[in-house]
Amino acid sequence: QVRLVESGGGSVQTGGSLRLSCTSNNPYSTTSMAWFRQVPGRNREGVAAIDMYVRTSYADPVNGRFTISRNIDKTTLYLEMHSLKPEDTARYYCAASPRESIREDPLAPDQYNYWGQGTQVTVSS
């Protein structure tokens, strides 16, 4: 059974930074991973993704401000967030797939099999 646990959320002011982490208990089943976010009443949206070959994808609203990475043994996924804006406020979820790469749309929620419970990020103006 795959378990993903997010941490690192919190409250910051506009322009601030946060680093989210997501730990996996089964790196062999979480080969491709991604971060998503969701606000109440809206669909979950992809933020950033990384595959086995360390190819990354970013959503346009966060490109240049957020960086996705993982540690060498692939047990922990990170999301470095800088220049945060109020519109970044959301619950952030870690997601994973056993596929080595997701070519079609790495930021589509239906490409991922496993999900964490999320961590809240609140950015105040």
Side-chain angles (χ1 to χ4, degrees):
Q1 184 176 358
V2 175
R3 184 164 180 252
L4 302 175
V5 179
E6 301 95 336
S7 62
S11 297
V12 296
Q13 293 188 326
T14 297
S17 300
L18 283 174
R19 186 176 82 158
L20 305 184
S21 300
C22 170
T23 59
S24 167
N25 68 335
N26 188 341
Y28 300 103
S29 294
T30 56
T31 311
S32 291
M33 299 188 74
W35 288 98
F36 290 81
R37 64 187 182 186
Q38 189 170 23
V39 297
R42 297 181 64 178
N43 292 332
R44 191 167 294 189
E45 65 171 348
V47 174
I50 188 168
D51 69 9
M52 176 181 174
Y53 307 102
V54 202
R55 291 183 296 219
T56 57
S57 301
Y58 294 94
D60 287 344
V62 307
N63 198 15
R65 299 187 297 121
F66 291 11
T67 303
I68 189 171
S69 63
R70 63 201 306 179
N71 64 348
I72 194 167
D73 59 4
K74 298 182 175 58
T75 57
T76 306
L77 178 74
Y78 301 101
L79 185 68
E80 293 273 357
M81 305 187 294
H82 299 287
S83 301
L84 284 162
K85 306 174 182 179
E87 50 263 45
D88 294 318
T89 295
R91 190 163 185 85
Y92 283 72
Y93 296 88
C94 171
S97 165
R99 294 162 62 184
E100 294 182 355
S101 182
I102 298 175
R103 295 178 182 271
E104 301 83 10
D105 186 356
L107 296 180
D110 61 3
Q111 301 289 341
Y112 296 88
N113 305 82
Y114 310 109
W115 292 84
Q117 295 300 306
T119 185
Q120 180 67 33
V121 171
T122 302
V123 185
S124 58
S125 57

